[in-house]
Amino acid sequence: MIGQFTEDMVRIFGAELGCALGFLHDIGIIHRDVKMENILLTDNGHLRLADFGLSRRLERGGRAFTICGTIQYMAPEVLSGGPYNHAADWWSLGILLFSLVHGKFPVPPEPDHSSMLRKVRNFPYEMPLSFSPSFALLITELLCKTPFRRLRTLDRFKRQTFFHGTTFDLTLLQRQPVEVILELRERPDRAAKARRGLTLSLQPLKGFDYDSLLSPPATPDTQLDAQPQMAAPLPGPALRLKPVQEKGPRREVFV
């Protein structure tokens, strides 16, 4: 076990990321690289979805075929070369939320997309006993291997039992500081690290090994050419959760 966030904290993160995906999909954009490294944090601990280097225009009903993304977050239909659509982003969100609460990925990453596809197809995604029933149900809905049965809309996401009592009004969400981020903000070495282009130390999250969790050795990312980073859809200053330190070779695959 590497370390975990609480479900209460992830509930806020999930609501904000769900709103971000719903916004993007409504305007005809698929992100295709939802992962921890592409999440920014404001001083109050709220999220910005960033790095649109792999995103593309995709209207409702459209299909994509390019194998791209970060291998341990890629939906099975992406790993197989398509066709796929916006439902692939919701799969990636499921992997992200699972990993934040459990402390490790549901399936260890493989060195190539073909091997990863075989593992994803054969893995039952049994829920850890530490998950609450409502969170386990949410993950089950997001990690459905059949895209047209998967939870793939913001409206359905909001209706999940896990989010009962949670507001999806972004203005109200912004008024609820995430305490662990406030603790990081008060660290005396914050200014010096910011000047060096580094993010804050995550010591308050004891035992949470981001390098091991986010960038396992020999895990290639399948990426397109990098594009300028953007953050959407929420305004305001942001900090990276961690410096982007990719490990292992990177390659491009076009289908």
Side-chain angles (χ1 to χ4, degrees):
M1 196 71 68
I2 297 173
Q4 309 86 18
F5 286 93
T6 66
E7 288 189 12
D8 285 341
M9 189 179 301
V10 169
R11 185 175 289 108
I12 298 174
F13 291 166
E16 295 187 336
L17 286 173
C19 288
L21 290 183
F23 171 81
L24 291 174
H25 297 168
D26 283 346
I27 64 174
I29 295 175
I30 181 173
H31 190 277
R32 301 199 293 190
D33 202 19
V34 176
K35 61 179 179 179
M36 293 186 200
E37 295 94 326
N38 289 341
I39 304 300
L40 309 182
L41 290 175
T42 70
D43 279 355
N44 284 333
H46 294 283
L47 304 189
R48 305 289 186 267
L49 179 59
D51 193 350
F52 286 67
L54 296 182
S55 64
R56 58 158 288 183
R57 294 287 304 180
L58 188 69
E59 300 298 336
R60 295 286 186 181
R63 300 187 300 172
F65 295 86
T66 302
I67 300 176
C68 64
T70 302
I71 199 163
Q72 59 265 47
Y73 292 90
M74 291 162 66
E77 64 269 24
V78 179
L79 289 164
S80 65
Y84 60 88
N85 56 27
H86 304 90
D89 280 346
W90 292 99
W91 171 283
S92 300
L93 178 59
I95 296 292
L96 173 60
L97 297 180
F98 182 107
S99 303
L100 288 176
V101 174
H102 189 46
K104 56 185 177 182
F105 291 104
V107 176
E110 291 292 328
D112 61 82
H113 68 272
S114 297
S115 300
M116 192 69 184
L117 175 60
R118 286 194 294 271
K119 179 170 284 189
V120 167
R121 281 178 170 170
N122 295 328
F123 192 76
Y125 287 96
E126 295 179 357
M127 294 299 113
L129 296 178
S130 59
F131 285 7
S132 68
S134 61
F135 184 67
L137 177 60
L138 172 66
I139 296 299
T140 300
E141 295 272 343
L142 290 169
L143 296 185
C144 176
K145 298 174 187 178
T146 306
F148 69 87
R149 294 179 179 173
R150 185 179 306 151
L151 190 165
R152 61 189 188 278
T153 66
L154 177 58
D155 183 61
R156 184 173 165 190
F157 189 71
K158 290 179 179 179
R159 296 200 306 267
Q160 288 291 304
T161 305
F162 181 69
F163 292 112
H164 281 182
T166 301
T167 179
F168 278 77
D169 183 306
L170 294 178
T171 301
L172 294 177
L173 278 173
Q174 297 290 301
R175 297 176 183 172
Q176 304 176 26
V178 180
E179 293 299 327
V180 67
I181 305 304
L182 296 185
E183 294 176 18
L184 293 173
R185 190 175 64 181
E186 300 303 320
R187 289 182 60 88
D189 58 350
R190 176 192 176 193
K193 288 193 173 184
R195 284 196 297 271
R196 295 199 302 269
L198 301 177
T199 56
L200 303 174
S201 168
L202 293 175
Q203 288 304 312
L205 302 178
K206 297 183 184 300
F208 202 96
D209 186 347
Y210 274 86
D211 286 335
S212 176
L213 178 62
L214 302 180
S215 302
T219 301
D221 289 348
T222 309
Q223 301 278 9
L224 295 176
D225 291 339
Q227 299 291 333
Q229 292 187 352
M230 302 168 57
L234 307 177
L239 300 171
R240 277 202 176 275
L241 183 61
K242 67 176 289 293
V244 179
Q245 296 178 346
E246 300 291 350
K247 298 184 179 181
R250 297 166 66 87
R251 63 178 185 172
E252 299 178 343
V253 180
F254 299 89
V255 177

